Amino acid sequence: MLYGRDYGQQRFSPLNQINPETIKRLVPRWMYQTGSAATFQTTPLVADGVMYVTAPFSHVVALDARSGRELWRYEHKRISDKLCCGPANRGAALGYGKVYVATVDARLVALAQSTGKPVWDIALAEQGAGATESKGALAAGDPLHGRNVTGSTGVGAVIAPLVYDGKVIVGITGVGYGLHLDSPRPGAPLGAVVGVAGRYGRPGFLAAYDAETGKQVWKFDTTQQGWEGQFRTETPDGVPLNRDIRAEKESLAQHPDAWRFGGGSIWHTPAVDTETDTIYFGVGNPSPQAADGTRPGDNLYTVSLVALKAATGELVWHYQQVPHDMWGYDVASPPSLFDVEVNGKMIPAVGEASKLGWYYVHDRRDGTLLFKSDAFVPQANLFARPTRERVRITPGPAGGSNWSPASLDASRRVVYVAGMHIPMIYRTDELPADGDKPAVPYFIIEPSPELNWGTLTALDLANQGRIAWQTKTNKPLVGGVLATAGGLVFTGQGDGDFSAFDANTGANLWNFNCGAGVNAPPISFAIDGEQYVAVAAGGSQIWGFRQGGAIVVFGLTAH
């Protein structure tokens, strides 16, 4: 019934009918076509025999979970044709007889759970306010002029809302998105992300709304006055950042209100500690993307894991993984809550699979870093500054772990993480001065022309996050992981394969090709005592994976 199955977002299913002994009998039982062949990232919800699915462009359908037959459909009518970040939606939320969806045009809509009819519909943020990047910022001879624009700074909403204690909690995306250009090669990942010096967008935010009326209860802006912070020279865990602190401080007077355009998108649903009424979530990169000259300081609270009081939105603590980010290292994967033993004591913890390639584990009471895992993807030049001569960095903005949810088996004390290996080339260029207009620098991050691949990794949380096993996949993994009490780990790939692995060894036990990329989180549910597994197969435009629009549900055949 919840995006992460439980409020702690462990994404672990207690069902065990489907296991290493029975997996060979797993077959498709039904399929539903949304009618949209577009980036498909939804987590289906199942309650009382009904499955609720958000489709690309924020449409919502209710299906008979036994047969896949459509019960009702809500067609979202957008108020703006400009999509900052594509058509994807990551899921709905259920509560109080309603289905809640946050939309690509930055609205929050409550639907009647029984009929799909709108109950209320509110704007989260104003559309079209503020400047955005364009190819006009590129130098005349830059070959990127020939690419198509696939996104730029704006405002939308992609996450599944969180329903908790009479409130619907949701955040906006697209602030600080940067200029996204497509690839010249069909089927290739992301062509380029371009950061342009200037004032683009607005602060991101997470906000709570009354579940019955839609009235705003509180709002936490992810960039605020005083966002300059301590001017850290290294990350909190001690990795040098290669910042020019002197130059940043000298430019402060020129950019006193940079935080008003500071970015900090919300890319995932928060986790909740129901005992302390605390919510935990990550924040995206600052604005402008990559181009750091107009935003001196640490740029709080971007690229941070943040804890708030659920009742009021008051800040409890934050941990900034990357102060003054200029590499696109958003805290994009949802955090999970669990208990971990450190020095003989059980500590309430929160963990997050980062784009940097480490799984961070914190004391969730105060944010203290307890440990970070072994790196689950290759790392090189993590915080290298761009040059005109180009520098290769990895992971870069793809991750590491991108928005993909991890799955945590508390009994095994293991977390399963989907990783991407897409090394990036980072360079600078400049739009020359023209009359009284000064030169404008810009920054380009684009995939390196080399082999890309993925990792599915089991990290041992009882042993400081050491790698228990790791399986290399043909395609970078983006979409998410499901572990089950049956001893299986499910995930999908961009080539259409949906696969099951042995949770103890990582051995590949089963595969089914869905035709389009499987780049969404799987779920498992039971009806009438029978276990099913479901996943969206619709690919991803930004990563070059074949698009479609199917929900595929699997069950066991008879003996």
Side-chain angles (χ1 to χ4, degrees):
M1 290 179 63
L2 295 166
Y3 174 75
R5 192 188 173 276
D6 55 82
Y7 277 122
Q9 295 200 138
Q10 293 187 358
R11 282 187 175 264
F12 177 79
S13 171
L15 303 175
N16 60 12
Q17 285 179 359
I18 302 169
N19 54 53
E21 287 69 44
T22 62
I23 188 68
K24 290 181 175 59
R25 296 193 283 114
L26 192 66
V27 297
R29 297 292 285 273
W30 58 260
M31 182 182 297
Y32 174 82
Q33 296 287 353
T34 65
S36 299
T39 301
F40 202 7
Q41 299 177 346
T42 194
T43 291
L45 302 178
V46 179
D48 300 323
V50 178
M51 178 180 287
Y52 301 89
V53 174
T54 59
F57 302 101
S58 310
H59 310 313
V60 186
V61 295
L63 310 172
D64 183 326
R66 294 174 176 84
S67 65
R69 188 172 301 279
E70 184 176 297
L71 303 175
W72 57 253
R73 183 180 181 103
Y74 164 75
E75 289 279 339
H76 181 63
K77 303 296 191 293
R78 302 196 304 276
I79 60 173
S80 172
D81 290 330
K82 183 190 184 309
L83 301 181
C84 63
C85 325
N89 185 282
R90 292 179 182 159
L94 302 176
Y96 310 107
K98 300 178 184 65
V99 181
Y100 301 93
V101 60
T103 71
V104 289
D105 52 347
R107 303 187 71 78
L108 179 61
V109 182
L111 308 172
Q113 189 171 348
S114 58
T115 65
K117 301 297 183 184
V119 177
W120 50 256
D121 178 344
I122 64 165
L124 296 173
E126 182 183 356
Q127 285 288 331
T132 190
E133 306 89 349
S134 74
K135 289 194 292 184
L138 305 178
D142 197 310
L144 294 178
H145 272 291
R147 310 277 188 88
N148 294 318
V149 175
T150 59
S152 65
T153 292
V155 63
V158 69
I159 74 171
L162 166 68
V163 175
Y164 179 69
D165 193 25
K167 294 180 283 292
V168 184
I169 300 172
V170 71
I172 61 170
T173 54
V175 292
Y177 194 59
L179 181 65
H180 281 55
L181 304 174
D182 68 3
S183 173
R185 296 181 295 120
L190 174 72
V193 177
V194 181
V196 183
R199 295 155 71 93
Y200 302 103
R202 50 155 298 154
F205 65 79
L206 188 78
Y209 301 85
D210 185 281
E212 290 297 333
T213 66
K215 181 180 179 181
Q216 188 177 105
V217 178
W218 56 255
K219 184 174 77 166
F220 175 83
D221 286 331
T222 55
T223 64
Q224 305 175 15
Q225 190 169 15
W227 80 324
E228 295 82 11
Q230 302 175 34
F231 288 85
R232 289 179 175 268
T233 58
E234 57 185 30
T235 65
D237 50 317
V239 184
L241 288 167
N242 302 310
R243 290 171 65 178
D244 187 343
I245 298 296
R246 180 178 177 179
E248 286 184 42
K249 289 184 175 180
E250 288 176 349
S251 70
L252 265 176
Q254 302 172 48
H255 309 288
D257 62 346
W259 63 272
R260 296 183 184 276
F261 311 89
S265 292
I266 309 297
W267 294 110
H268 58 242
T269 306
V272 187
D273 184 330
T274 56
E275 292 187 3
T276 63
D277 288 332
T278 306
I279 61 174
Y280 304 85
F281 63 98
V283 181
N285 62 267
S287 180
Q289 166 87 278
D292 67 328
T294 55
R295 49 174 173 84
D298 294 344
N299 308 146
L300 296 172
Y301 297 93
T302 64
V303 195
S304 297
L305 185 64
V306 176
L308 304 179
K309 292 182 179 180
T312 63
E314 179 184 346
L315 179 68
V316 178
W317 58 259
H318 79 279
Y319 180 94
Q320 192 173 33
Q321 289 181 5
V322 184
H324 195 79
D325 172 70
M326 53 187 299
W327 304 271
Y329 288 130
D330 314 69
V331 180
S333 177
S336 300
L337 307 186
F338 53 95
D339 293 333
V340 65
E341 185 175 346
V342 178
N343 297 326
K345 295 182 179 180
M346 294 303 294
I347 295 175
V350 54
E352 197 272 334
S354 73
K355 278 192 175 184
L356 295 163
W358 292 299
Y359 189 84
Y360 287 85
V361 177
H362 303 264
D363 186 325
R364 68 174 181 261
R365 296 169 296 189
D366 59 14
T368 299
L369 180 65
L370 300 173
F371 59 85
K372 65 182 185 183
S373 72
D374 289 343
F376 54 82
V377 293
Q379 296 169 320
N381 297 323
L382 276 174
F383 303 122
R385 296 186 70 86
T387 67
R388 283 187 175 270
E389 292 71 33
R390 308 178 177 217
V391 61
R392 177 186 180 272
I393 62 172
T394 190
S401 191
N402 202 278
W403 64 271
S404 307
S407 181
L408 191 140
D409 185 337
S411 64
R412 286 186 170 93
R413 294 189 288 182
V414 172
V415 65
Y416 302 95
V417 176
M420 306 179 77
H421 177 64
I422 305 180
M424 297 285 175
I425 300 299
Y426 200 5
R427 65 181 175 91
T428 63
D429 210 324
E430 185 177 81
L431 180 67
D434 182 12
D436 60 351
K437 296 180 180 179
V440 179
Y442 60 95
F443 302 74
I444 305 98
I445 308 174
E446 50 195 337
S448 176
E450 57 186 278
L451 189 65
N452 301 326
W453 36 268
T455 58
L456 178 63
T457 307
L459 298 170
D460 183 356
L461 297 175
N463 191 22
Q464 299 283 300
R466 298 289 181 261
I467 292 176
W469 56 256
Q470 184 174 82
T471 297
K472 185 176 176 180
T473 58
N474 293 329
K475 299 292 183 181
L477 292 185
V478 59
V481 184
L482 170 71
T484 74
L488 297 173
V489 179
F490 290 91
T491 194
Q493 292 192 60
D495 60 6
D497 277 352
F498 183 48
S499 305
F501 299 83
D502 188 302
N504 290 314
T505 67
N508 184 200
L509 302 179
W510 174 89
N511 302 284
F512 180 86
N513 193 279
C514 296
V518 180
N519 304 114
I523 68 160
S524 189
F525 63 96
I527 296 181
D528 302 328
E530 184 175 356
Q531 182 183 357
Y532 299 87
V533 176
V535 73
S540 175
Q541 184 271 334
I542 195 172
W543 303 118
F545 298 141
R546 181 183 297 172
Q547 295 169 79
I551 293 290
V552 188
V553 175
F554 300 86
L556 294 174
T557 60
H559 290 282

